[in-house]
Amino acid sequence: MITPDSSTRSWRSKILVAAILLIVLAVVPGVLSALGKSYYTQVANSALIYCILAASLNLITGTAGLLCLGHAAFFGIGAYTAALLASNYGLPFLVTLPLGGVVAGLAGVLVALPTMRLISIYFAVATLGVGEIIHVSLLNWISVTRGPMGVQIYDPITLFGHSFTSLLSIYYITAILACICVYLIWHLTNSYFGNALRSLREDDQCAEAMGINVSKLKVQTFAASTFFAGIAGALMAHSAGYISPESFQFSESILILAMVVVGGLGSLPGVLLGALLLIILPEAARGLGDMRMVAVGVVMFLSILLLPKGLLGETSAIEVARKYFNAAWSSRELAGWK
Amino acid sequence: MDTYFLMQIINGLSSGMIYALIAIGFTLIFGVLNVVNFAHGEMYTIGAFAGIVCISTLSWPIALVIIVALAVGGFSGIILEKIAFKPFRRFQDEASLKSRAMRESTLLSSLAVSIIIKELLQHFFGAEMQSIPVQYLMNDPIPIGPISLSSGQFLILGSSVVMLAGLQYVLYHTRIGLSIRAISNNPLGAKYVGLSVDRTIIATFAVGSMLGGAAGIMVGLYSGAIFPAMGFAPSLKAFVAMVMGGLSSIPGAVICALILGVCEALATNFMTQGWSDMVAYSFLILTLIFFPQGIFGARRERV
């Protein structure tokens, strides 16, 4: 039942969400950089990129229940596509960004086609192998990727004839793109497609018996998820200006996985929280020196042990979202998935 | 046959033996618990570091150093089980033994523990390579006919054969071996006839991690490269060997590890060192596509 009251409330909560986003994404970094803490802007920038990555991995691992241990490879494909196109051919940001996503998505389809019949641990192992193959290629295919020397992008991000050189303006571009990506992923997880993925996670044989084409679904999930990972990679390449194979190895895949696990498998708000936590925590724990990664490991371990559902596990996350934001989070609050 | 090829094959066999020793630990633990222990590569690193601590502070003879690495490996395996696996075995009924959630949370917890161990080692020993004193480095060439081998290869091949024989003895002639085999065959049935599941799992971790730790120090003595991240690449290769061998078959894992080692050594004729890593991963993908049960896999339920 949609009463006038609930529709005004939904408008109010939408405005509330928009206001929170505006404060977090726009005002805080503006103030920070005005205070001369540009370093924190950089941290916030990479935190937002990892938000996209974690949200995209959540589509495979959280919603569809397929453990993927090679996500950083697709991040790397996106980053290298964008960086090589920009530095070799001088293509503008508006072209390299979608191309990074598309190439990573195609790579995702290529990976998903042979591995779609695999389940559980076999799937995890296969994605691990693929991730390592891509890392080895990035490291050794020197004629194309320049190997361990990495790729440098000389031109700044240019949009509509205006070039963005300051950290803050790059941050705003990242923030806008991150919002768009997360919004799209949110729509994807809360559609029929997302529900089909959840049925796949709960019982793939049962889902198949109910007429869902499981293999096709897995390929589609991979394409969508790796597309967003590629976008994140292109964004990373352009905002950092330099990439090297070290950023795309197994430990990076584990870091992204840890974000999803700590945040709560399957819950998008939780996963975003996990990404922010795991990027900002090592910065906050800078006093610990090289013990930072130990802290990440300990946080991951404790969250598996004490919070099996993560910070905002799927059900509790939805309850929280319903309670505080009600309809703003989903336009189908009455007919939708319980 | 070219002597160069012969030498490459022997090089391959000795690195394959290392993969095999690690893969056996993976296979034993997978057989008993039905989960993958991602912290197993760290047992290899811990064995190597235990060895180098013995060498640099106490300067013990090599045989003693290997025994210490064995003991430390086994001990840290037991601790690993207590920390990363025991808390997730709260439920012993059939449904949760087979449940996907439990299996994956264990996998993630072992990953987390492996990060912690690696970073702690890096904190205490530094990320760069540790140097082994020259008198311990097993690189002396030993000529046999036209080919010359190094003493480290003899050490690796010899002691792994001894360890494999010891493992066979433990598995087939002792009570704890019997219970390991029983539990990997049918966990619930073994529990109903009165075997202590907990004790057997601890024994499995101890045996598997001992082999891993010994492999670590032997590689350290042979190649002189000991650093906190050293466990990653060999354990990944061992993992590939285990998957190729069919996840729960020890002979399968050993044979596949040897094949993998020889193929990698021969591949360096045709490509550079960096690309030869590709061999293992391509084998992995091909195996998973064409033999999802593993080349030597026993029929199991869908895992």
Side-chain angles (χ1 to χ4, degrees):
Chain A
M1 278 186 299
I2 298 172
T3 57
D5 179 45
S6 88
S7 101
T8 52
R9 206 168 61 198
S10 106
W11 268 109
R12 218 180 289 158
S13 48
K14 268 180 187 164
I15 291 169
L16 184 72
V17 170
I20 292 173
L21 278 179
L22 200 68
I23 291 171
V24 171
L25 296 176
V27 177
V28 169
V31 171
L32 275 178
S33 75
L35 291 173
K37 308 236 174 179
S38 60
Y39 170 70
Y40 292 105
T41 320
Q42 223 162 350
V43 173
N45 193 32
S46 69
L48 284 177
I49 290 172
Y50 276 93
C51 278
I52 305 178
L53 274 175
S56 71
L57 181 63
N58 184 42
L59 206 57
I60 298 180
T61 301
T63 314
L66 299 163
L67 191 64
C68 177
L69 295 176
H71 207 60
F74 302 106
F75 180 42
I77 289 181
Y80 264 91
T81 308
L84 291 172
L85 287 177
S87 73
N88 291 353
Y89 303 103
L91 291 179
F93 179 64
L94 269 183
V95 179
T96 57
L97 181 80
L99 272 181
V102 167
V103 172
L106 284 177
V109 171
L110 282 182
V111 171
L113 282 176
T115 56
M116 65 191 173
R117 305 300 305 172
L118 304 172
I119 38 175
S120 191
I121 189 67
Y122 289 98
F123 184 83
V125 173
T127 50
L128 194 158
V130 167
E132 283 306 303
I133 285 178
I134 292 171
H135 178 239
V136 169
S137 310
L138 292 181
L139 200 60
N140 291 296
W141 196 3
I142 293 173
S143 58
V144 174
T145 64
R146 290 171 48 80
M149 289 168 292
V151 182
Q152 183 101 36
I153 300 179
Y154 298 101
D155 305 327
I157 296 177
T158 309
L159 284 178
F160 312 114
H162 187 276
S163 63
F164 294 83
T165 46
S166 78
L167 268 178
L168 193 63
S169 59
I170 292 173
Y171 171 82
Y172 284 136
I173 291 175
T174 312
I176 291 165
L177 278 170
C179 284
I180 294 171
C181 288
V182 169
Y183 179 76
L184 288 176
I185 292 172
W186 172 260
H187 249 271
L188 216 53
T189 42
N190 283 335
S191 59
Y192 171 77
F193 180 72
N195 287 352
L197 289 184
R198 285 188 191 91
S199 77
L200 183 68
R201 176 186 64 192
E202 296 305 330
D203 193 332
D204 54 340
Q205 288 171 348
C206 190
E208 198 150 26
M210 293 302 288
I212 290 172
N213 187 342
V214 169
S215 314
K216 194 174 143 200
L217 199 63
K218 284 184 185 173
V219 175
Q220 286 170 341
T221 321
F222 242 81
S225 166
T226 52
F227 172 79
F228 286 111
I231 294 275
L235 207 50
M236 209 280 299
H238 275 283
S239 62
Y242 170 76
I243 51 171
S244 70
E246 274 107 82
S247 327
F248 311 110
Q249 53 194 3
F250 181 66
S251 58
E252 207 70 9
S253 301
I254 296 305
L255 183 64
I256 305 169
L257 187 64
M259 290 165 183
V260 176
V261 171
V262 168
L265 288 161
S267 105
L268 200 55
V271 164
L272 298 182
L273 201 63
L276 292 178
L277 186 73
L278 284 186
I279 290 295
I280 292 168
L281 178 88
E283 298 306 325
R286 204 149 258 282
L288 291 173
D290 53 359
M291 298 287 273
R292 298 184 305 148
M293 277 307 286
V294 179
V296 171
V298 169
V299 166
M300 185 174 166
F301 179 73
L302 287 181
S303 83
I304 301 161
L305 184 65
L306 304 174
L307 308 160
K309 282 184 163 180
L311 286 173
L312 296 171
E314 184 158 40
T315 44
S316 61
I318 284 167
E319 277 156 21
V320 168
R322 283 213 178 122
K323 203 165 163 192
Y324 293 106
F325 301 112
N326 200 13
W329 285 89
S330 162
S331 53
R332 310 176 303 111
E333 79 274 24
L334 293 170
W337 170 68
K338 296 267 189 303
Chain B
M1 191 189 273
D2 206 347
T3 51
Y4 178 70
F5 267 97
L6 206 59
M7 273 177 68
Q8 283 297 69
I9 286 175
I10 291 174
N11 284 341
L13 280 178
S14 63
S15 64
M17 266 301 182
I18 296 296
Y19 301 157
L21 288 180
I22 307 173
I24 287 169
F26 271 129
T27 310
L28 279 174
I29 292 165
F30 189 88
V32 168
L33 274 181
N34 216 1
V35 295
V36 175
N37 172 15
F38 265 104
H40 195 64
E42 268 51 48
M43 301 298 112
Y44 170 88
T45 319
I46 286 179
F49 272 94
I52 199 168
V53 166
C54 273
I55 288 174
S56 58
T57 62
L58 305 164
S59 57
W60 281 348
I62 283 178
L64 211 55
V65 166
I66 291 178
I67 289 172
V68 166
L70 268 173
V72 171
F75 186 65
S76 38
I78 292 171
I79 295 184
L80 172 72
E81 198 274 337
K82 297 256 186 236
I83 293 174
F85 290 83
K86 180 94 196 207
F88 300 97
R89 281 192 285 115
R90 280 170 292 206
F91 311 105
Q92 294 268 331
D93 55 306
E94 194 160 10
S96 46
L97 277 179
K98 282 185 179 166
S99 90
R100 189 186 291 179
M102 192 214 89
R103 211 180 292 152
E104 287 180 357
S105 69
T106 318
L107 193 150
L108 292 172
S109 78
S110 69
L111 262 177
V113 169
S114 99
I115 296 175
I116 296 172
I117 295 174
K118 200 184 300 170
E119 296 295 328
L120 281 178
L121 282 176
Q122 200 159 334
H123 179 70
F124 288 114
F125 292 93
E128 62 280 351
M129 283 192 190
Q130 304 283 313
S131 56
I132 289 185
V134 184
Q135 67 269 28
Y136 282 95
L137 211 53
M138 313 233 3
N139 261 338
D140 318 321
I142 300 175
I144 300 178
I147 55 174
S148 98
L149 301 171
S150 74
S151 51
Q153 287 172 328
F154 275 101
L155 173 80
I156 289 173
L157 289 172
S159 45
S160 11
V161 168
V162 170
M163 275 189 261
L164 290 187
L167 180 74
Q168 284 299 308
Y169 179 80
V170 168
L171 280 184
Y172 288 92
H173 296 276
T174 62
R175 221 184 140 65
I176 200 77
L178 185 67
S179 50
I180 290 176
R181 285 187 293 136
I183 285 184
S184 49
N185 223 324
N186 186 346
L188 222 55
K191 198 172 160 247
Y192 289 156
V193 297
L195 287 177
S196 163
V197 177
D198 275 342
R199 205 187 299 159
T200 312
I201 289 173
I202 288 176
T204 315
F205 268 85
V207 171
S209 308
M210 268 175 158
L211 297 180
I217 187 60
M218 289 196 298
V219 166
L221 291 177
Y222 169 51
S223 66
I226 293 185
F227 52 99
M230 67 186 278
F232 178 67
S235 69
L236 216 53
K237 307 276 170 62
F239 191 37
V240 170
M242 164 188 155
V243 174
M244 281 170 69
L247 284 179
S248 54
S249 137
I250 290 180
V254 172
I255 293 169
C256 289
L258 292 177
I259 293 175
L260 210 58
V262 171
C263 287
E264 272 192 338
L266 291 181
T268 48
N269 291 328
F270 309 110
M271 46 182 106
T272 55
Q273 185 68 41
W275 283 111
S276 71
D277 282 345
M278 232 27 173
V279 175
Y281 308 129
S282 332
F283 272 16
L284 172 69
I285 303 293
L286 291 177
T287 310
L288 284 174
I289 293 170
F290 294 110
F291 308 95
Q293 303 276 339
I295 298 173
F296 299 92
R299 294 260 151 242
R300 281 177 83 90
E301 43 121 16
R302 253 158 72 105
V303 184

